[in-house]
């Protein structure tokens, strides 16, 4: 029976003890069964080779039994609840959607906040066959290989139940990779409003199949392993067995509607018209939608591909996050280089995206994609929430999601809000609540809250997605960390060779004293947190990393001590002696290495603009996606009121202070799982730099490269940010790379143009609210400051801590 419980989102060899079935890191993949050539339509056999990455055999039912579910109080809209059976029966038919215009033509324009004169239709996709049969694509075969690693313990006692649990996780994986729910319209109808030449600037030149051999090098994009380079017969798109694959993971293609002239005559029929040289630029044959993997898919750090443009499915992680993606080149590469859209996005480093890019908070605050691993071990908090349908206030459980913990009304709404954020229901539910460009007074100059009840009534794709969030959660909780100790580099070098294991036990003690009070889900009492010696005692015997490598965290003398064994070891149900936290809780004994508690931005000291993100405040766009407790968080303090830096003569002058209220001003204490693989650091990737391969152009994605980037970022993190101290971090401020004319509106349009000189900090105009232009919305240009914890450690302790973190 289909699970309907809910969980949160945005979602090896051992020295002496073998890893448990749950949470085990599988051995390196064996040679796989030959499959059809890339792009060839055919049947792909399901390999039984062990999965290379860590997987977790955890179900929503397991979490409910542990009283970790349900999260949130949302129970669905009337539209969803009235047709749940239909949505379940049409699961694959409703992963994508399109607008149906009255004239049956393709439309790339809609009046700003104008009337809705279209309906919706699903874009059907075939349901894959069961995993005991050959599959239509390599992706489907890999999905089967993934889920077949799960629930082997359940299979031993109840094979049918195991099949049910695997089927739900597989459906969720398909939502993650294929669910777009009509979001292609955000690009064509809304993004086109923000560039000088409208739709003429909105195209994807890197989807031209002739770019396939250099997509990673140039853009940080990951090619679909099932596809191969196309030719004139594929209209210069990649050749793929999945008709909706664009050839790039995270970008799904759908046939456009016919293009008609003013008289209604069809001038281009995507199904019949011959190839036109400009059809890709004009989006004539296909439109492109964006599933969640657009940002979250990346190379598995433990199994990098030999050629980054020719990855295999075993080289790909669905949830690690793409540290290599180059944000400015994705959507606006067709726009002029001196357009506001292109220039403002340059503030985002590789591997980041400004999630308030569309629902603008008028603060320059790009951030990394949340690393989704071991979400079943994240902390759960109790908040008061308002039901968006009934308005009822009641207590509910939630996790803290996003950088400041903003999404705080449970998993279901946190997950579906992401789909809205990447374009679902933009014209129907989102842009009607945006301020009107150029407005300075009244209602048109301010955001209004997005209303879930209205969206479900007016935008059927909301219900398509809403019906699938349980399945998506069921998939996301099965993803585990990427352990360096389980890695194998492209040259065959083992991950353990990159760790000085002799230093790890000392590093563990340093971590307990200096880091664990924020970066452990074993939460120390308040009176202990302020005493470093007490913290070390509190975490005595606690395993921070994987059970598979726990023994590296302690010296041989510690492990063999009778006192250690008596206090910290226990026998599990089978009689095996294991660390007590794992003997009792299996994978739930794994520390998530973060407590998700909110810490004021002025204590952390990092760039504050992301912490001041206010879209979840009362009266703002995402009001219904934050709890009442979030909105009532105490003020973390005040910031200077700074005159808009673009005002000639007086820009940058301080004029009093502004108190931060309504929820913003905090960063949550993030997880450090797999931190070795995710440098650069901080919420904006500003600590550290990415390195490149020998060609000088391709970002280094190898294990060796990730370690070099981790060590360089760690060294910078452990250096003072005070320019008066030697040595100190070099301050990083992203500046404009050219002279240009700035229209002080979010859409880059308007008659007023201000000259901006090369070298001007992008934050000078990207952190100013054009609807309240007198003062900066946020004034904090230095991007890599703060987090001074550990800077004063001795060199020996810093080195030991670094080696310990590599094991996590």
């Amino acid at each position: 029976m289909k699970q309907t419980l809910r969980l949160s989102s945005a979602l090896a060899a051992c020295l002496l003890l073998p890893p448990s079935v749950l949470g085990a890191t599988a051995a390196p993949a064996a040679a796989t069964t030959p499959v059809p050539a890339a792009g060839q339509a055919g049947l792909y056999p399901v390999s039984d080779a062990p999965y290379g990455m860590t997987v977790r055999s955890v179900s929503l039912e397991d979490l409910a039994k542990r009283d970790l579910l349900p999260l949130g109080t949302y129970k669905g809209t009337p539209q969803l609840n009235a047709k749940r059976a239909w949505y379940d029966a049409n699961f694959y038919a409703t992963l994508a959607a399109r607008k149906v215009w009255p004239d049956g033509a393709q439309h790339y324009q809609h009046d700003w906040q104008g009337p809705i004169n279209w309906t919706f239709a699903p874009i059907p996709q075939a349901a894959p066959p069961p995993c005991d049969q050959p599959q239509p694509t390599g992706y489907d075969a890999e999905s089967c290989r993934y889920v077949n690693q799960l629930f082997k313990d359940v299979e031993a006692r109840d094979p049918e139940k195991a099949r049910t649990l695997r089927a739900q996780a597989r459906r969720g994986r398909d939502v993650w990779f294929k669910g777009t729910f009509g979001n292609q319209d955000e690009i064509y109808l809304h993004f086109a409003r923000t560039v000088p030449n409208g739709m003429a600037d909105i195209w994807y030149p890197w989807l031209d199949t002739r770019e396939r051999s250099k997509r990673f090098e140039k853009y940080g994009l990951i090619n679909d392993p099932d596809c191969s380079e196309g030719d004139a017969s594929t209209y210069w798109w990649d050749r793929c067995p999945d008709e909706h694959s664009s050839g790039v993971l995270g970008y799904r293609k759908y046939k456009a509607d016919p293009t008609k002239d003013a008289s209604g005559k069809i001038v281009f029929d995507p199904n019949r018209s011959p190839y036109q040289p400009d059809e890709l630029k004009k989006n004539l044959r296909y439109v492109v939608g964006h599933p969640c993997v657009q940002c979250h898919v990346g190379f598995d750090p433990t199994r990098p591909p030999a050629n980054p443009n020719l990855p295999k499915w075993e080289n790909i992680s669905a949830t690690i996050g793409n540290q290599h993606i180059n944000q400015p080149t994705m959507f606006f590469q067709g726009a002029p280089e001196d357009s506001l859209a292109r220039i403002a996005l340059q503030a985002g480093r590789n591997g980041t995206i400004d999630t308030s890019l569309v629902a603008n908070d008028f603060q320059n605050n790009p951030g990394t994609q949340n690393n989704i691993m071991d979400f079943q071990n994240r902390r759960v908090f109790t908040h008061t929430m308002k039901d968006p349908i009934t308005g009822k206030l009641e207590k509910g459980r939630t996790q803290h999601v996003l950088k400041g913990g903003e999404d705080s009304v449970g998993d279901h709404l946190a997950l579906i809000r992401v789909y809205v954020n990447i374009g679902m229901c933009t014209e129907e539910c989102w842009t009607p609540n945006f301020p009107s460009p150029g407005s300075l007074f009244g209602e048109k100059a301010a955001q209004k809250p997005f209303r879930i009840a209205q969206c479900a009534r007016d935008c059927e794709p909301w219900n398509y997605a809403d019906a699938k969030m349980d399945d998506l959660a069921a998939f996301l909780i099965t993803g585990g960390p990427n352990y360096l100790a389980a890695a194998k580099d492209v040259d065959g070098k083992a991950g353990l060779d990159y760790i000085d294991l002799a230093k790890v036990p000392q590093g563990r003690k340093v971590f307990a004293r200096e880091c664990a009070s924020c970066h452990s889900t074993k939460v120390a009492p308040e009176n202990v947190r302020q005493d470093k010696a007490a913290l070390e005692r509190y975490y005595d015997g606690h395993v921070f990393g994987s059970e598979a490598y726990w023994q590296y965290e302690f010296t041989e003398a510690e492990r063999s001590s009778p006192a250690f064994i008596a206090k910290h070891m226990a026998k599990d149900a089978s009689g095996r002696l294991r660390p007590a936290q794992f003997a009792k809780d299996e994978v739930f004994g794994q520390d998530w290495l973060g407590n998700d508690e909110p810490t004021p931005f002025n204590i952390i000291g990092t760039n504050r603009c992301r912490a001041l993100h206010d879209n979840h405040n009362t009266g703002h766009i995402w009001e219904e996606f934050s709890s009442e407790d979030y909105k009532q968080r105490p003020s973390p303090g005040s910031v200077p009121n700074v005159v808009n830096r673009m005002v000639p003569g007086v820009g940058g002058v301080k004029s009093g202070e502004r108190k931060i209220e309504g929820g913003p001003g905090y960063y949550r204490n993030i997880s450090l799982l797999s931190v070795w693989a995710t440098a650069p650091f901080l919420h904006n990737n500003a600590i550290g730099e990415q390195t490149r391969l020998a060609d000088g152009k391709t970002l280094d994605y190898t294990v060796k490269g990730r370690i070099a980037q981790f060590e360089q970022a760690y060294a910078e993190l452990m250096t003072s940010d005070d320019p008066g101290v030697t040595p100190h971090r070099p301050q990083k401020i992203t500046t404009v790379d050219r002279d240009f004319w700035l229209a002080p509106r979010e859409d880059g349009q308007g008659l007023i143009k201000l000259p901006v000189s090369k070298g001007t900090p992008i934050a000078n105009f990207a952190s100013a609210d054009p609807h309240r232009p007198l003062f900066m919305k946020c004034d904090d240009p230095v991007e890599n400051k703060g987090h001074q914890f550990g800077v004063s450690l001795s060199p020996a302790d810093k080195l030991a801590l670094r080696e310990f973190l590599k094991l996590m």
Side-chain angles (χ1 to χ4, degrees):
M1 187 172 183
K2 185 173 181 286
Q3 297 288 327
T4 56
L5 297 169
R6 301 188 289 275
L7 178 71
S8 169
S9 81
L11 331 60
C14 178
L15 288 182
L16 299 178
L17 300 178
S20 59
V21 173
L22 290 179
T25 300
T32 55
T33 306
V35 299
Q40 175 185 341
L43 298 180
Y44 290 69
V46 177
S47 170
D48 59 359
Y51 207 73
M53 290 172 275
T54 306
V55 296
R56 302 300 200 193
S57 292
V58 178
S59 69
L60 301 182
E61 180 180 320
D62 293 329
L63 299 180
K65 288 179 179 178
R66 292 172 177 268
D67 198 30
L68 297 174
L69 292 181
L71 297 180
T73 61
Y74 174 69
K75 298 177 176 63
T77 65
Q79 292 77 12
L80 172 63
N81 292 325
K83 293 175 58 180
R84 280 191 183 272
W86 185 88
Y87 292 121
D88 287 347
N90 290 274
F91 184 94
Y92 284 93
T94 54
L95 282 171
R98 65 184 183 91
K99 287 178 170 57
V100 179
W101 299 81
D103 61 2
Q106 183 65 51
H107 287 256
Y108 292 129
Q109 285 186 327
H110 175 236
D111 290 341
W112 172 255
Q113 299 179 339
I116 306 302
N117 63 342
W118 55 76
T119 56
F120 292 95
I123 302 176
Q125 300 179 60
C131 285
D132 59 358
Q133 301 175 23
Q135 299 297 306
T137 70
Y139 162 80
D140 293 306
E142 181 71 358
S143 289
C144 288
R145 189 168 79 99
Y146 181 93
V147 299
N148 284 347
Q149 307 298 311
L150 304 172
F151 307 115
K152 292 184 177 180
D153 57 326
V154 177
E155 184 179 40
R157 61 179 185 272
D158 190 341
E160 183 57 36
K161 184 174 182 179
R163 280 192 290 272
T164 299
L165 295 176
R166 289 168 175 166
Q168 184 176 29
R170 185 185 187 188
R171 288 194 302 272
R173 192 174 194 267
D174 288 339
V175 175
W176 194 243
F177 273 90
K178 298 180 179 181
T180 58
F181 308 112
N183 67 15
Q184 62 269 19
D185 296 314
E186 178 186 60
I187 310 302
Y188 302 112
L189 297 182
H190 184 61
F191 278 20
R193 298 182 179 119
T194 67
V195 286
N197 304 303
M199 266 303 295
D201 291 342
I202 300 296
W203 62 298
Y204 302 76
W206 38 268
L207 284 177
D208 188 313
T209 192
R210 288 161 286 200
E211 292 282 280
R212 182 175 176 85
S213 64
K214 47 186 177 289
R215 283 189 186 131
F216 183 80
E217 170 196 318
K218 291 177 66 174
Y219 313 108
L221 293 168
I222 297 179
N223 283 327
D224 184 333
D226 287 350
C227 305
S228 60
E229 188 170 320
D231 51 31
S233 68
T234 64
Y235 308 106
W236 299 106
W237 289 72
D238 285 13
R239 179 176 284 107
C240 306
D242 178 352
E243 65 173 318
H244 295 301
S245 175
S246 70
V248 180
L249 295 180
Y251 300 85
R252 305 282 289 169
K253 75 179 195 293
Y254 311 109
K255 280 285 178 68
D257 290 322
T259 301
K260 298 183 178 182
D261 63 18
S263 69
K265 179 184 177 181
I266 294 177
V267 295
F268 187 90
D269 185 339
N271 293 304
R272 297 180 179 85
S273 293
Y275 176 75
Q276 295 185 9
D278 62 353
E279 68 173 59
L280 181 63
K281 185 171 183 178
K282 291 184 176 179
N283 303 279
L284 295 178
R285 197 172 301 273
Y286 295 104
V287 293
V288 178
H290 314 91
C292 281
V293 291
Q294 175 195 84
C295 292
H296 292 279
V297 74
F299 293 139
D300 173 12
T302 68
R303 296 292 185 277
N307 182 333
N309 291 302
L310 292 173
K312 299 177 181 178
W313 282 112
E314 57 259 35
N315 302 131
I316 289 173
S317 165
T319 53
I320 184 66
N322 189 345
Q323 282 289 86
H324 307 103
I325 194 169
N326 185 343
Q327 182 184 198
T329 64
M330 295 303 95
F331 303 115
F332 294 108
Q333 189 175 342
E337 291 188 355
D338 63 352
S339 63
L340 177 60
R342 287 288 295 271
I343 288 175
L345 284 173
Q346 289 176 2
R349 290 176 167 78
N350 289 335
T352 69
I353 189 167
D354 189 340
T355 56
S356 59
L357 175 67
V358 183
N360 213 319
D361 65 349
F362 305 112
Q363 297 176 91
N364 178 43
N365 51 20
T368 57
Q369 303 89 357
N370 277 346
N371 191 348
I372 300 171
M373 52 181 62
D374 268 5
F375 268 23
Q376 78 282 355
N377 283 326
R378 291 185 68 169
R379 287 183 68 192
V380 172
F381 302 83
T382 298
H383 286 202
T384 298
M385 306 169 191
K386 180 184 287 186
D387 187 285
I389 306 302
T390 67
K392 181 181 178 182
L393 289 172
E394 59 183 312
K395 294 284 188 181
R397 288 173 291 193
T398 186
Q399 293 177 331
H400 293 164
V401 188
L402 300 183
K403 303 302 181 188
E406 294 92 353
D407 278 354
S408 49
V409 287
D411 70 302
H412 203 99
L413 291 181
L415 286 172
I416 198 169
R417 191 202 58 78
V418 175
Y419 282 97
V420 177
N421 205 57
I422 58 176
M424 182 180 75
C425 300
T426 298
E427 296 296 288
E428 301 82 8
C429 315
W430 204 5
T431 57
N433 298 302
F434 291 170
S436 297
S439 298
L440 298 175
F441 307 102
E443 290 186 1
K444 289 188 175 182
Q447 286 184 351
K448 298 188 295 293
F450 176 104
R451 296 303 183 194
I452 291 169
Q454 173 268 321
C455 194
R457 288 194 306 269
D458 297 342
C459 183
E460 177 64 1
W462 167 280
N463 301 309
Y464 292 174
D466 200 353
K468 298 174 177 59
M469 294 301 99
D470 295 338
D471 300 287
L472 178 55
F475 162 65
L476 292 178
I477 61 174
T478 62
N482 301 91
Y483 296 113
L484 177 57
K488 183 179 180 181
D489 210 348
V490 291
D491 62 359
K493 186 173 180 177
L496 277 175
D497 292 342
Y498 292 101
I499 308 174
D500 186 342
L501 294 172
K503 292 182 170 59
V504 168
Q506 177 59 22
R508 185 199 162 280
K509 291 181 171 63
V510 176
F511 184 85
R513 295 194 306 266
E514 304 287 339
C515 312
S517 60
C518 288
H519 295 293
S520 173
T521 36
K522 181 181 179 181
V523 180
E526 284 294 336
N527 63 322
V528 173
R529 294 191 195 189
Q530 308 308 316
D531 184 334
K532 293 182 179 181
L535 278 168
E536 184 174 336
R537 292 192 299 271
Y538 179 78
Y539 288 105
D540 180 45
H542 179 69
V543 177
F544 289 105
S546 168
E547 182 182 6
Y549 314 112
W550 76 269
Q551 296 177 71
Y552 295 129
E553 296 188 34
F554 305 92
T555 64
E556 183 179 357
E558 288 172 325
R559 295 196 311 268
S560 59
S561 163
F564 183 96
I565 295 171
K567 186 175 182 180
H568 303 300
M569 303 293 288
K571 290 184 178 180
D572 64 12
S574 67
R576 289 191 300 132
L577 190 66
R578 301 166 60 189
Q581 69 195 76
F582 294 102
K584 176 183 178 182
D585 282 327
E586 296 286 349
V587 296
F588 292 92
Q590 168 75 62
D591 197 312
W592 197 64
L593 297 184
N595 63 23
D596 269 345
E597 291 181 355
T599 300
F601 72 92
N602 40 22
I603 291 178
I604 299 178
T606 53
N607 185 279
R608 61 176 172 261
C609 291
R610 178 59 186 82
L612 299 185
H613 172 79
D614 58 9
N615 280 350
H616 289 71
N617 286 29
T618 298
H620 291 225
I621 189 78
W622 300 134
E623 172 190 309
E624 293 190 341
F625 296 86
S626 64
S627 68
E628 301 308 295
D629 288 23
Y630 170 85
K631 298 179 182 75
Q632 295 165 13
R633 292 199 295 196
S635 171
S638 299
V639 293
N641 252 345
V642 178
V643 176
N644 192 323
R645 290 186 176 273
M646 301 307 297
V647 177
V650 296
V653 172
K654 295 181 181 179
S655 177
E657 291 191 332
R658 172 170 62 94
K659 187 177 182 181
I660 305 303
E661 296 180 291
Y666 296 82
Y667 287 112
R668 64 178 177 84
N669 299 329
I670 63 168
S671 170
L672 298 183
L673 285 173
S674 305
V675 67
W676 68 271
T678 54
F681 297 157
L682 296 189
H683 67 277
N684 56 4
N685 272 356
I687 295 279
E689 297 294 333
Q690 291 181 315
T691 58
R692 297 183 184 272
L693 297 176
D695 63 9
K697 297 181 290 185
T698 307
L699 290 174
D700 195 340
Y701 62 93
T702 64
V703 177
K704 179 181 179 180
R706 288 184 189 259
I707 290 299
Q709 292 159 34
F710 168 78
E711 291 181 348
Q712 192 272 335
Y714 179 85
E716 183 176 324
L717 184 72
M718 290 292 160
T719 302
S720 172
D721 66 357
D722 183 353
V725 173
T726 302
H728 64 268
R729 300 176 193 167
Q731 290 187 337
K732 297 177 184 177
I733 302 174
T734 305
T735 60
V736 178
D737 64 357
R738 68 192 66 237
D739 296 340
F740 81 109
W741 290 90
L742 169 70
R745 293 177 16 166
E746 62 264 42
D747 61 357
Q749 314 301 312
L751 296 177
I752 299 175
K753 302 285 186 180
L754 302 175
V756 181
S757 301
K758 179 180 179 180
T760 299
I762 290 176
N764 281 14
F765 52 87
S767 287
D769 185 346
H771 304 283
R772 293 171 178 79
L774 182 57
F775 295 104
M776 299 295 293
K777 183 78 179 289
C778 177
D779 189 67
D780 197 11
V782 179
E783 297 156 9
N784 65 329
K785 65 178 186 177
H787 198 288
Q788 294 291 277
F789 315 110
V791 168
S792 61
L793 288 172
S794 69
D797 278 352
K798 288 180 181 180
L799 180 58
L801 177 59
R802 188 190 76 180
E803 298 307 297
F804 167 79
L805 289 173
K806 289 179 183 178
L807 194 65
M808 295 301 101

